[in-house]
Amino acid sequence: MSSTAERSAERRAPLTRGRVLESAVELADTAGIDALTIRRIAERLGVEPMSLYYHVRNKEAILDGAVELVFTEVEQASGGFAVPETDAAWKSSLRTRILAARTVMLRHPWAPGVIDSRTDLGLATARYVDSVVGTLRSGGLSYDLIHHAMHALGSRMFGFTQELGEPDDESGDAAVMEQMAAQVPHLAAMLAVVRHVDPDSTLGWCDDQFEFEFGLDLILDGLERITRADRPRPARS
């Protein structure tokens, strides 16, 4: 079936909340989050804008639902949210789960900003967080340490990080650094070595895959070290 025929068939299908949200995600993916309006979604579905309000209260409800669809994708990508009661390989399991979430976030680059703007956790999002807590617990971590771990992971738990920004104009940034080199020599020297642009693997200005995994591994290694130190040693005979 051609794309035109598929679109026509889609427009003839009954309007549902699921169709509204799926159309919203597709629109955000193709045109960006700023293009996500009631009118544009209605145009994609071939209905009047007022028809959407039978299924979603407002744009905020659409954004909430779009985030839930993203975490439904995360559930599929990570093989489900169920976790074993005990898991000696908890660190590897959690790393895999978080990197699966990152893969989904890279497919939907608008999602991190929307996730940050939400005030409540939807059920799919909450179940993902529960799976992270459960994975840490399966490794023997106390709930107190898990609480600290969640703060350390921050948004990295969801597959993205909020990095320190850099100007869009890289050449201008370099010129500024050159002028400021005498005042900030270490920063200027570092930027001269590590500055890079990798739009195919980034969710932010300087958040490429290596840097994301580097930070994640530091946190997981630290948690493993603390857990081992807290475990009682066997008594000497």
Coordinates of all heavy atoms in Angstrom, one line a residue, residues 3 6-8 10-11 17-37 40-46 62-63 65-67 69-70 73 107-111:
S3 N 2.1 5.2 0.6 CA 2.0 6.1 1.8 C 0.7 6.9 1.7 O 0.1 7.2 2.7 CB 3.2 7.0 1.9 OG 3.4 7.8 0.7
E6 N -2.1 4.7 2.7 CA -2.0 4.4 4.1 C -2.6 5.6 4.9 O -3.3 5.4 5.9 CB -0.6 4.1 4.5 CG -0.1 2.7 4.0 CD 1.4 2.6 4.3 OE1 2.1 3.6 4.7 OE2 1.9 1.4 4.1
R7 N -2.2 6.8 4.4 CA -2.7 8.0 5.1 C -4.2 8.1 5.0 O -4.9 8.4 6.0 CB -2.0 9.2 4.5 CG -2.5 10.5 5.1 CD -2.0 10.6 6.6 NE -0.6 10.7 6.7 CZ 0.1 10.8 7.9 NH1 -0.6 10.7 9.0 NH2 1.4 10.8 7.9
S8 N -4.7 7.8 3.8 CA -6.2 7.8 3.6 C -6.9 6.8 4.5 O -7.9 7.1 5.1 CB -6.5 7.6 2.2 OG -6.0 8.6 1.4
E10 N -5.8 5.6 7.3 CA -5.6 6.0 8.7 C -6.7 7.1 9.0 O -7.2 7.1 10.1 CB -4.2 6.6 8.9 CG -4.0 7.1 10.3 CD -2.6 7.7 10.5 OE1 -1.8 7.5 9.6 OE2 -2.3 8.3 11.5
R11 N -6.9 8.0 8.1 CA -7.9 9.0 8.3 C -9.3 8.5 8.4 O -10.2 9.1 9.1 CB -7.8 10.1 7.2 CG -6.5 10.9 7.3 CD -6.6 12.0 6.3 NE -5.4 12.8 6.4 CZ -5.2 14.0 5.8 NH1 -6.2 14.5 5.0 NH2 -4.1 14.7 5.9
R17 N -7.7 8.0 21.5 CA -6.7 8.7 22.2 C -5.3 8.2 21.7 O -4.4 8.9 21.6 CB -6.8 8.5 23.7 CG -5.7 9.1 24.6 CD -6.0 8.9 26.0 NE -5.0 9.6 26.9 CZ -3.8 9.0 27.2 NH1 -3.5 7.8 26.8 NH2 -2.9 9.7 27.9
G18 N -5.2 6.9 21.5 CA -4.0 6.3 21.0 C -3.5 6.9 19.7 O -2.4 7.1 19.5
R19 N -4.5 7.0 18.8 CA -4.1 7.6 17.5 C -3.7 9.0 17.6 O -2.7 9.5 16.9 CB -5.3 7.5 16.5 CG -5.6 6.1 16.0 CD -6.7 6.2 14.9 NE -6.2 7.0 13.8 CZ -7.0 7.8 13.0 NH1 -8.3 7.8 13.3 NH2 -6.5 8.4 12.0
V20 N -4.3 9.8 18.5 CA -3.9 11.2 18.7 C -2.5 11.2 19.2 O -1.7 12.0 18.7 CB -4.9 11.9 19.7 CG1 -4.4 13.3 20.1 CG2 -6.3 12.0 19.1
L21 N -2.2 10.4 20.2 CA -0.8 10.4 20.8 C 0.2 9.9 19.8 O 1.3 10.5 19.7 CB -0.8 9.6 22.1 CG -1.7 10.1 23.2 CD1 -1.6 9.2 24.4 CD2 -1.4 11.5 23.6
E22 N -0.1 8.9 19.1 CA 0.9 8.4 18.1 C 1.1 9.4 17.0 O 2.3 9.6 16.6 CB 0.3 7.1 17.4 CG 0.3 5.9 18.3 CD -0.4 4.7 17.8 OE1 -0.9 4.9 16.6 OE2 -0.6 3.7 18.5
S23 N 0.1 10.1 16.6 CA 0.3 11.2 15.6 C 1.1 12.3 16.2 O 2.0 12.9 15.5 CB -1.1 11.7 15.1 OG -0.9 12.7 14.2
A24 N 0.9 12.6 17.4 CA 1.7 13.7 18.1 C 3.2 13.3 18.1 O 4.1 14.2 17.8 CB 1.2 13.9 19.5
V25 N 3.5 12.1 18.5 CA 4.9 11.6 18.5 C 5.5 11.7 17.1 O 6.6 12.2 16.9 CB 5.0 10.2 19.1 CG1 6.4 9.6 18.9 CG2 4.6 10.2 20.5
E26 N 4.8 11.2 16.1 CA 5.3 11.3 14.7 C 5.5 12.7 14.3 O 6.5 13.0 13.6 CB 4.3 10.6 13.8 CG 4.1 9.1 14.0 CD 3.0 8.5 13.2 OE1 2.3 9.3 12.5 OE2 2.7 7.3 13.3
L27 N 4.6 13.6 14.6 CA 4.8 15.0 14.3 C 6.0 15.6 15.0 O 6.8 16.3 14.3 CB 3.6 15.8 14.7 CG 3.6 17.3 14.3 CD1 3.8 17.6 12.8 CD2 2.3 18.0 14.8
A28 N 6.2 15.3 16.2 CA 7.4 15.8 17.0 C 8.7 15.3 16.4 O 9.7 16.0 16.3 CB 7.3 15.5 18.4
D29 N 8.6 14.0 16.0 CA 9.8 13.4 15.4 C 10.2 14.0 14.1 O 11.4 14.2 13.8 CB 9.6 11.9 15.1 CG 9.6 11.1 16.4 OD1 10.0 11.6 17.5 OD2 9.1 9.9 16.4
T30 N 9.2 14.4 13.2 CA 9.5 14.8 11.9 C 9.6 16.4 11.8 O 10.4 16.9 11.0 CB 8.4 14.4 10.9 OG1 7.1 14.9 11.4 CG2 8.3 12.9 10.8
A31 N 8.9 17.1 12.6 CA 8.9 18.5 12.5 C 9.4 19.3 13.7 O 9.5 20.5 13.7 CB 7.4 19.0 12.2
G32 N 9.7 18.6 14.8 CA 10.2 19.2 16.0 C 9.0 19.5 17.0 O 7.9 19.6 16.6
I33 N 9.4 19.6 18.3 CA 8.4 19.8 19.3 C 7.7 21.1 19.2 O 6.5 21.2 19.6 CB 9.1 19.7 20.7 CG1 8.0 19.5 21.8 CG2 10.0 20.9 21.0 CD1 7.3 18.2 21.7
D34 N 8.3 22.2 18.6 CA 7.6 23.4 18.4 C 6.5 23.4 17.5 O 5.6 24.2 17.5 CB 8.6 24.5 18.0 CG 9.6 24.9 19.1 OD1 9.3 24.6 20.3 OD2 10.7 25.4 18.8
A35 N 6.5 22.4 16.6 CA 5.4 22.2 15.6 C 4.3 21.5 16.1 O 3.2 21.3 15.5 CB 6.0 21.5 14.3
L36 N 4.4 21.0 17.4 CA 3.3 20.1 18.0 C 2.2 21.0 18.5 O 2.3 21.6 19.6 CB 3.9 19.3 19.1 CG 3.0 18.2 19.7 CD1 2.6 17.2 18.6 CD2 3.6 17.5 20.9
T37 N 1.1 21.2 17.7 CA 0.0 21.9 18.0 C -1.3 21.1 17.8 O -1.2 20.1 17.0 CB -0.1 23.2 17.2 OG1 -0.3 22.9 15.8 CG2 1.1 24.1 17.4
R40 N -2.1 21.2 14.1 CA -1.2 20.3 13.2 C -1.6 18.8 13.4 O -1.5 18.1 12.4 CB 0.2 20.6 13.5 CG 0.8 21.9 13.1 CD 1.0 22.0 11.6 NE 2.0 21.1 11.1 CZ 3.3 21.3 11.1 NH1 3.8 22.4 11.6 NH2 4.1 20.4 10.6
I41 N -1.8 18.4 14.6 CA -2.2 17.0 14.8 C -3.5 16.7 14.1 O -3.6 15.7 13.5 CB -2.3 16.7 16.3 CG1 -1.0 16.9 17.0 CG2 -2.8 15.3 16.6 CD1 -1.0 16.9 18.5
A42 N -4.5 17.6 14.2 CA -5.8 17.4 13.6 C -5.6 17.3 12.1 O -6.3 16.5 11.4 CB -6.7 18.6 14.0
E43 N -4.7 18.1 11.5 CA -4.5 18.1 10.1 C -4.0 16.7 9.7 O -4.4 16.1 8.7 CB -3.5 19.2 9.7 CG -4.1 20.6 9.7 CD -3.1 21.6 9.3 OE1 -1.9 21.3 9.2 OE2 -3.5 22.8 9.2
R44 N -3.0 16.2 10.5 CA -2.4 14.9 10.1 C -3.5 13.8 10.2 O -3.4 12.8 9.4 CB -1.3 14.5 11.1 CG -0.1 15.4 10.9 CD 1.0 15.0 12.0 NE 1.4 13.6 11.8 CZ 2.4 13.2 11.0 NH1 3.1 14.0 10.3 NH2 2.7 11.9 11.0
L45 N -4.5 13.9 11.1 CA -5.5 12.9 11.3 C -6.7 13.1 10.4 O -7.6 12.3 10.3 CB -5.9 12.9 12.7 CG -4.9 12.4 13.7 CD1 -5.3 12.6 15.2 CD2 -4.6 10.9 13.5
G46 N -6.7 14.3 9.7 CA -7.9 14.6 8.8 C -9.2 14.9 9.6 O -10.2 14.5 9.1
I62 N -1.5 16.0 25.9 CA -0.9 15.3 24.7 C 0.6 15.1 25.0 O 1.1 14.0 24.8 CB -1.0 16.2 23.5 CG1 -2.5 16.2 23.0 CG2 -0.2 15.6 22.3 CD1 -2.8 17.1 21.9
L63 N 1.3 16.0 25.6 CA 2.7 15.9 26.0 C 2.9 14.8 27.0 O 3.8 14.0 26.9 CB 3.3 17.2 26.5 CG 3.4 18.3 25.4 CD1 3.8 19.6 26.1 CD2 4.3 18.0 24.3
G65 N 1.0 12.2 27.4 CA 0.8 10.9 26.7 C 1.9 10.6 25.8 O 2.3 9.4 25.6
A66 N 2.5 11.6 25.1 CA 3.7 11.3 24.3 C 4.8 10.8 25.0 O 5.5 9.8 24.6 CB 4.1 12.6 23.5
V67 N 5.1 11.3 26.2 CA 6.1 10.7 27.1 C 5.8 9.3 27.5 O 6.7 8.5 27.5 CB 6.3 11.6 28.4 CG1 7.2 10.9 29.4 CG2 6.9 13.0 28.0
L69 N 4.2 7.1 25.7 CA 4.5 6.3 24.5 C 6.0 6.1 24.4 O 6.4 5.0 24.0 CB 3.9 7.0 23.3 CG 2.4 6.9 23.0 CD1 2.1 7.5 21.6 CD2 1.9 5.5 23.1
V70 N 6.8 7.1 24.7 CA 8.2 6.9 24.6 C 8.7 5.9 25.6 O 9.5 5.0 25.3 CB 8.9 8.3 24.9 CG1 10.4 8.1 25.1 CG2 8.7 9.2 23.7
E73 N 8.0 2.4 24.5 CA 9.1 2.0 23.6 C 10.3 1.5 24.4 O 11.0 0.6 24.1 CB 9.5 3.1 22.7 CG 8.6 3.4 21.5 CD 9.2 4.4 20.6 OE1 10.4 4.3 20.2 OE2 8.4 5.4 20.2
R107 N 16.1 8.4 19.3 CA 15.1 8.3 18.2 C 14.1 9.5 18.3 O 13.5 9.8 17.4 CB 14.3 7.0 18.2 CG 15.1 5.8 17.8 CD 14.2 4.7 17.3 NE 13.4 4.1 18.3 CZ 13.6 3.1 19.1 NH1 14.8 2.4 18.8 NH2 12.8 2.6 20.0
H108 N 14.0 10.0 19.5 CA 13.0 11.1 19.8 C 13.8 12.2 20.5 O 13.6 12.4 21.7 CB 11.9 10.6 20.7 CG 11.2 9.3 20.2 ND1 10.4 9.4 19.0 CD2 11.1 8.1 20.6 CE1 9.9 8.2 18.8 NE2 10.3 7.4 19.8
P109 N 14.6 13.0 19.8 CA 15.4 14.0 20.4 C 14.7 15.1 21.2 O 15.2 15.8 22.0 CB 16.2 14.6 19.3 CG 15.5 14.2 18.0 CD 14.8 12.9 18.4
W110 N 13.4 15.2 20.9 CA 12.5 16.2 21.6 C 12.2 15.7 23.0 O 11.8 16.5 23.9 CB 11.2 16.4 20.8 CG 10.5 15.2 20.5 CD1 10.7 14.4 19.3 CD2 9.6 14.5 21.3 NE1 9.9 13.3 19.4 CE2 9.2 13.3 20.6 CE3 9.0 14.7 22.5 CZ2 8.3 12.4 21.0 CZ3 8.1 13.8 23.0 CH2 7.8 12.6 22.3
A111 N 12.2 14.4 23.2 CA 11.7 13.8 24.5 C 12.4 14.3 25.7 O 11.7 14.6 26.7 CB 11.7 12.3 24.4

